[in-house]
Amino acid sequence: MAHPTRIFHNELEISKAFEEYKESLKEEAKKWGKVQYVGKDGKQVIDYPNMPYTLEGFYIYCRKHYGEIRQYFLNQDNLYTDFITICHAIKEEIRQNQITGGLLGFYNPSITQRLNGLADTTKNETTLKIGVDAIEEKYE
């Protein structure tokens, strides 16, 4: 049973919205330009960063242009079962973008690792034993 107020009616529509989101990141990058001066004349050049894909960013984009879509990814009340495949594919593409960007140094590797559950962990265990055998007191 489909939810009566669905924003997207099929996988193609949500896929199209995700492609629009990725294109919108090119405009978003213009807010984060880094000014550099290059060459012997010190010509001003603006370098725009690669913007990472994020699920939260996609939610915000859709909220502004379509409406709330979080329920599609949560499969709220099992009303969005026909969107499981596309939602999973979107999550995978976002994760792949973040991991590759981190590996290539475009994104902060430490944050990328944490976001994707890839952080190295080290378990240190210390055992301390205190013996009472060495202490003798006499009471009279």
Side-chain angles (χ1 to χ4, degrees), residues 6-122:
R6 275 190 175 181
I7 298 166
F8 301 113
H9 300 288
N10 57 53
E11 288 186 343
L12 186 60
E13 290 177 359
I14 199 167
S15 181
K16 181 178 174 273
F18 186 62
E19 292 302 317
E20 291 171 5
Y21 161 70
K22 292 188 297 187
E23 282 297 312
S24 77
L25 292 177
K26 293 175 184 173
E27 277 301 309
E28 180 71 20
K30 292 179 181 175
K31 295 178 185 177
W32 304 96
K34 205 182 270 187
V35 178
Q36 299 181 43
Y37 297 94
V38 296
K40 65 178 181 154
D41 298 327
K43 182 181 176 187
Q44 181 179 349
V45 176
I46 301 175
D47 187 24
Y48 298 108
N50 290 319
M51 300 297 289
Y53 304 164
T54 65
L55 190 56
E56 291 77 11
F58 184 50
Y59 289 162
I60 292 166
Y61 176 83
C62 286
R63 196 175 302 123
K64 287 180 182 175
H65 296 89
Y66 296 101
E68 183 62 51
I69 65 148
R70 188 178 310 260
Q71 66 274 20
Y72 289 80
F73 288 83
L74 299 174
N75 192 17
Q76 185 176 342
D77 300 325
N78 289 324
L79 296 173
Y80 302 90
T81 309
D82 46 334
F83 290 92
I84 289 174
T85 303
I86 190 63
C87 290
H88 187 69
I90 288 170
K91 286 180 181 180
E92 284 179 334
E93 188 170 344
I94 288 170
R95 188 170 193 265
Q96 182 271 333
N97 171 269
Q98 292 175 355
I99 292 170
T100 302
L103 288 169
L104 296 176
F106 289 106
Y107 313 142
N108 181 310
S110 177
I111 293 172
T112 301
Q113 289 171 351
R114 278 184 264 151
L115 285 173
N116 291 287
L118 300 172
D120 287 334
T121 57
T122 305

